[in-house]
Amino acid sequence: MITASRYFLGKFGHKMYKAAISLDVTCPNRDGRKGTGGCAFCSAGGSGEFASSSRLSVREQIDDAILKLSSKVPSDTGYIAYFQSFTSTYCDAGYLRQALEEAASHPKVEAISIGTRPDCLPKDILSVLSDVNETIPLYVELGLQTSDDAVAASFGRGYETSCYDEAVKALKDCGINVITHIIFGLPGESVDGMIRSVKHAVDAGTDGLKFTCLYILKGTRYEKLYSEGKIEVLECEEYFDSVEKSLDEVPDHVVIHRLTGDGPKSLLMAPGWTANKRQVINYINRRFKDRL
Ligand code: SF4
C-alpha cells in the first residue's frame, strides 16, 4: 500500500501539508439544480469546516492556514492548496482560473488539490484544470462515496455512478491525477457493497483513494434519522475490518490518501471513536503496520 505521505515524499522530496481554502461557491445539491437539502450526511459548511473564510482572498487564506500549521510541521514542509468546501468547480471558469492561478503563485504552494463532484466538470472547467495542471501538480478529488446508485439515491447524491466514470476518464485524458472519496457505513450498504465501491473506483482509473467512516453531524438529515434510531454507525473494529478487506482490491500504484477522516468535533454526534484522533492514529499504526 502506498500512503500519501510516502507518495508525496517521493514526489516532492519532503512532507506536504494541506492548506484548506474556501471559494465563494455552493453545490448543485444545495442551490436547487439537483436538490436543496444537500447530501444527507453533509453539514452546512459543505465539508469545509477546516478551511478559512471565503471572504478572504486565496492568498490570505493560504497564509492564514500556513500560519496555523507552522508551529506543528517541519520547516521544510511543502504545502498543497486544498480547495475543500462545497463543490469547488461549481463556478464560472474565469473565477476558478483566477483562484487556482493565485494559489499556484504562492511561494510555499507546490501542488493544488480541488474537491468537486463529477457532474461539475464541463468543458470550460476541464480546460482550466488542464492548463493549471501544466504549471503545478493538480489533484482533483471526486466525491463518489459509493458505486451503488440505489445507496447513492438514498442519501441524495444527485448523479449516477456512470457520471463518475465519465469524469474520471475526462480528467485522466487531461493528464490530471484523480483521488476518489469513499464513505463506509452508508445506510443500506453491505460490506461487499463497500468493497465493490473501492473496486469500481480502481477499475475506473482513480489514482488515489480517501476512505472515511460515515459521521453523523449535527444539522444534517442523518442527524434526525440517527436520533430516531433509524440508522446506525460503524464501530471502530467493524469499520477497519471493511477497510482492510477492501485494500486487497487496491493495486500498488493507487495511493491511499486517507484510511479515515475526522469530522468537526463541534458537530460530531457519532461515531464517538472517531473523535479521538490520536487514539485512531495509534490504532491504524498498530493494525496496518505491515501495510504502511
Ligand atoms: S457532500 Fe458535496 S455534493 Fe453533497 S451536499 Fe455536501 S458539498 Fe454538496
Side-chain angles (χ1 to χ4, degrees):
M1 169 169 107
I2 311 181
T3 59
S5 53
R6 201 168 341 131
Y7 163 76
F8 286 130
L9 194 60
K11 186 170 174 69
F12 297 97
H14 48 67
K15 283 186 177 252
M16 297 287 282
Y17 281 84
K18 281 186 165 170
I21 300 165
S22 293
L23 287 182
D24 187 14
V25 293
T26 177
C27 153
N29 247 2
R30 291 180 174 276
D31 71 355
R33 198 181 109 194
K34 292 279 174 80
T36 51
C39 299
F41 51 78
C42 185
S43 61
S47 310
E49 279 76 12
F50 301 107
S52 298
S53 164
S54 63
R55 284 192 299 277
L56 299 175
S57 72
V58 167
R59 171 90 193 203
E60 286 169 334
Q61 291 187 59
I62 294 170
D63 285 340
D64 192 35
I66 291 177
L67 187 66
K68 283 182 189 144
L69 283 166
S70 57
S71 61
K72 302 176 199 153
V73 302
S75 56
D76 67 343
T77 292
Y79 290 93
I80 302 168
Y82 182 25
F83 292 81
Q84 182 179 24
S85 313
F86 299 106
T87 301
S88 294
T89 63
Y90 190 46
C91 56
D92 174 74
Y95 173 68
L96 182 67
R97 185 181 293 277
Q98 198 181 7
L100 296 181
E101 287 178 354
E102 194 177 339
S105 70
H106 192 287
K108 292 198 172 157
V109 168
E110 294 178 46
I112 293 176
S113 205
I114 182 159
T116 190
R117 294 167 53 97
D119 57 351
C120 291
L121 293 166
K123 276 198 181 129
D124 56 347
I125 293 288
L126 275 174
S127 167
V128 170
L129 298 177
S130 181
D131 290 348
V132 171
N133 190 47
E134 297 286 318
T135 64
I136 189 167
L138 179 73
Y139 300 84
V140 172
E141 305 199 17
L142 297 176
L144 174 66
Q145 326 305 4
T146 174
S147 62
D148 184 325
D149 279 331
V151 174
S154 75
F155 70 75
R157 189 176 65 182
Y159 68 83
E160 304 272 299
T161 296
S162 57
C163 174
Y164 162 83
D165 298 343
E166 286 158 20
V168 175
K169 183 172 181 323
L171 290 164
K172 299 303 301 167
D173 286 348
C174 296
I176 294 170
N177 194 296
V178 178
I179 299 170
T180 301
H181 291 219
I182 305 269
I183 297 180
F184 276 15
L186 287 164
E189 187 150 69
S190 65
V191 173
D192 284 350
M194 299 173 210
I195 295 169
R196 270 198 301 278
S197 295
V198 170
K199 194 166 177 335
H200 187 100
V202 166
D203 291 345
T206 195
D207 300 288
L209 289 163
K210 273 190 177 178
F211 294 90
T212 196
C213 181
L214 175 69
Y215 305 119
I216 307 299
L217 299 180
K218 290 177 194 157
T220 63
R221 281 186 282 131
Y222 275 165
E223 176 188 5
K224 185 164 183 287
L225 293 177
Y226 181 75
S227 304
E228 291 168 357
K230 292 183 178 154
I231 58 173
E232 293 177 345
V233 292
L234 297 177
E235 292 303 327
C236 180
E237 289 283 317
E238 255 183 310
Y239 171 71
F240 284 109
D241 283 352
S242 308
V243 169
E244 188 162 25
K245 280 185 196 147
S246 74
L247 287 176
D248 292 337
E249 303 295 335
V250 181
D252 287 345
H253 68 272
V254 174
V255 178
I256 304 299
H257 286 264
R258 187 173 73 192
L259 283 174
T260 187
D262 53 328
K265 275 195 188 153
S266 58
L267 299 179
L268 184 70
M269 293 184 70
W273 61 267
T274 63
N276 193 333
K277 198 172 172 183
R278 174 56 40 205
Q279 209 168 300
V280 173
I281 291 171
N282 289 340
Y283 177 90
I284 289 174
N285 287 339
R286 261 196 328 273
R287 176 155 188 171
F288 295 93
K289 66 177 186 304
D290 296 333
R291 291 182 185 255
L292 292 171

